[in-house]
C-alpha cells in the first residue's frame, strides 16, 4: 500500500554575517513523527509563487502547518503591540497561500503551535499578541525545560474529536508559546483548554480533518512519547482515506 505523502511548511530564516544568507528550515521532529506514524514527509520551502505552490500541493495527501515565528498582526487587523516576537513576512505570505489552496482540496490539515494560530487567523480569528494581554494570570506556557517534558494539564472539553477519543478528558503536554487564540475563527470549535482558559486545541467539524494544537506533540513523539504519537497515527489514517 502506498504511504500518504505529508507536506510540512517551513521557516524562512535570515542569518546576519558577511553575506545575506537565507535558508528554509524546519525541525526534524516533524519528519520523525510522520515517519513513525506511517507517512512520507516532504518539506515545503517558502515561496509565494502560486503555480509552484499548486504543483507542490498536488503531490500531497495531508498538510502539517509547523511551528515558528509570530504571525504579522496586520493579517488579523491589529497594529503591532509591545512584546510581539519576531515575524517572517515571506513565510506569512507563502504559508497563507499554501493553506488557502490546500483547504480547497478538503484533505487533512494539522496545525501545530504557530500552525494552530495560523488556522485561526485564516478563518478570520484573532490572537493575543502576548499572553500579558490575556487579562488575568496565566500558567507558564513557554517552558525552559526538556522539549518532551509535560508541564501542564490540558482539559478536553468536547467529546466529538480525535483528542477525546485518544485521551479522554485530559492530557499532559509540553508548551512553547507566548501568544494564543483570542477571537475564534469562523467555523472553528474550541475542543481543549488549560486551567487558565488558554485555547489549546481547535477543530473545524465541517472539514474531513482540520485540527489545531497549541502544544508540540512532534517534540514529544520524536523522543518516545507513544501517547502523542497516536495523534500523528490518526492524522495519517485520515490522509489514507
Amino acid at each position: 500500500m502506498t504511504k500518504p505523502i505529508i507536506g510540512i511548511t517551513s521557516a524562512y530564516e535570515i542569518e546576519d554575517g558577511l553575506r545575506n544568507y537565507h535558508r528554509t528550515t524546519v525541525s526534524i521532529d516533524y519528519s520523525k513523527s510522520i515517519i513513525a506514524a506511517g507517512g512520507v514527509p516532504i518539506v515545503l520551502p517558502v515561496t509565494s509563487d502560486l503555480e509552484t505552490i499548486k504543483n507542490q500541493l498536488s503531490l500531497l495527501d495531508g498538510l502539517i502547518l509547523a511551528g515558528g515565528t509570530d504571525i504579522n498582526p496586520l493579517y488579523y487587523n491589529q497594529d503591532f503591540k509591545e512584546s510581539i516576537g519576531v515575524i517572517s513576512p515571506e513565510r506569512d505570505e507563502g504559508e497563507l497561500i499554501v493553506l488557502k489552496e490546500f483547504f480547497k482540496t478538503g484533505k487533512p490539515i494539522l496545525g501545530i503551535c504557530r500552525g494552530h494560530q495560523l488556522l485561526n487567523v485564516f478563518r478570520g480569528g484573532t490572537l493575543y499578541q502576548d499572553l500579558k494581554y490575556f487579562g488575568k494570570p496565566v500558567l507558564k506556557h513557554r517552558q525552559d525545560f526538556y522539549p518532551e517534558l509535560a508541564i501542564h494539564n490540558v482539559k478536553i472539553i468536547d467529546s466529538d474529536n480525535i483528542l477525546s477519543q485518544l485521551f479522554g478528558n485530559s492530557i499532559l503536554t509540553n508548551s512553547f508559546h507566548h501568544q494564543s487564540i483570542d477571537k475564534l475563527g469562523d467555523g472553528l470549535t474550541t475542543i481543549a483548554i488549560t486551567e487558565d482558559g488558554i485555547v489549546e486545541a481547535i477543530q473545524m467539524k465541517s472539514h474531513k480533518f482540520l485540527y489545531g494544537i497549541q502544544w508540540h506533540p512532534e517534540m514529544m513523539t520524536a523522543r518516545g512519547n507513544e501517547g502523542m504519537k497516536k495523534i500523528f497515527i490518526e492524522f495519517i489514517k485520515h490522509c489514507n482515506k
Side-chain angles (χ1 to χ4, degrees), residues 29-30 33-34 36-38 64 110 112 162 166 216-219 221-222 227-238:
D29 290 350
Y30 294 99
S33 298
I34 291 168
I64 287 184
L110 176 61
I112 295 175
I162 62 166
L166 294 175
H216 280 272
E218 84 288 353
M219 291 182 180
T221 298
M228 290 298 173
K229 180 181 172 181
K230 293 177 183 177
I231 295 174
F232 293 97
I233 290 173
E234 284 298 316
F235 174 62
I236 295 299
K237 282 181 182 178
H238 282 80

Side-chain angles (χ1 to χ4, degrees), residues 101-112:
E101 292 301 315
F102 197 77
F103 183 80
K104 295 175 185 177
T105 70
K107 295 179 181 179
I109 300 172
L110 176 61
I112 295 175

Side-chain angles (χ1 to χ4, degrees), residues 69 104 128 134 156 181 195-196 214:
T69 55
K104 295 175 185 177
Y128 292 107
F134 187 61
I156 300 168
I181 288 177
E195 292 291 341
D196 52 9
Q214 184 61 80

Side-chain angles (χ1 to χ4, degrees), residues 20-202:
N20 195 11
Y21 180 53
H22 297 187
R23 60 187 177 186
T24 287
T25 64
V26 66
S27 168
I28 194 67
D29 290 350
Y30 294 99
S31 294
K32 287 182 176 180
S33 298
I34 291 168
I35 292 169
V40 177
I42 291 181
V43 176
L44 303 176
V46 176
T47 179
S48 58
D49 184 84
L50 180 58
E51 289 306 309
T52 298
I53 288 172
K54 285 182 175 180
N55 277 280
Q56 289 173 332
L57 299 185
S58 69
L59 305 173
L60 305 182
D61 300 300
L63 175 67
I64 287 184
L65 302 168
T69 55
D70 291 352
I71 299 163
N72 189 328
L74 296 179
Y75 282 108
Y76 48 97
N77 300 314
Q78 290 185 12
D79 293 330
F80 284 63
K81 294 182 179 180
E82 190 66 35
S83 299
I84 190 171
V86 174
I87 68 162
S88 173
E90 298 87 354
R91 180 177 183 178
D92 287 340
E93 181 183 6
E95 199 164 20
L96 281 166
I97 296 172
V98 167
L99 179 51
K100 178 182 177 181
E101 292 301 315
F102 197 77
F103 183 80
K104 295 175 185 177
T105 70
K107 295 179 181 179
I109 300 172
L110 176 61
I112 295 175
C113 198
R114 168 195 160 92
H116 159 83
Q117 296 169 5
L118 189 70
L119 286 171
N120 192 58
V121 171
F122 172 66
R123 296 299 299 170
T126 64
L127 305 177
Y128 292 107
Q129 292 186 38
D130 188 83
L131 290 178
K132 73 180 184 181
Y133 299 112
F134 187 61
K136 64 178 183 179
V138 296
L139 301 170
K140 184 174 179 63
H141 286 272
R142 196 178 188 112
Q143 71 192 64
D144 307 308
F145 318 116
Y146 303 116
E148 73 275 17
L149 185 65
I151 69 164
H152 60 42
N153 184 60
V154 171
K155 296 189 296 181
I156 300 168
I157 60 174
D158 181 280
S159 61
D160 183 24
N161 58 75
I162 62 166
L163 294 183
S164 177
Q165 294 164 16
L166 294 175
F167 305 111
N169 296 325
S170 66
I171 179 175
L172 290 169
T173 76
N174 60 6
S175 191
F176 292 90
H177 66 104
H178 79 106
Q179 297 188 319
S180 71
I181 288 177
D182 181 4
K183 175 191 169 187
L184 198 63
D186 183 47
L188 301 177
T189 299
T190 299
I191 61 173
I193 60 173
T194 38
E195 292 291 341
D196 52 9
I198 298 297
V199 176
E200 289 284 336
I202 56 174

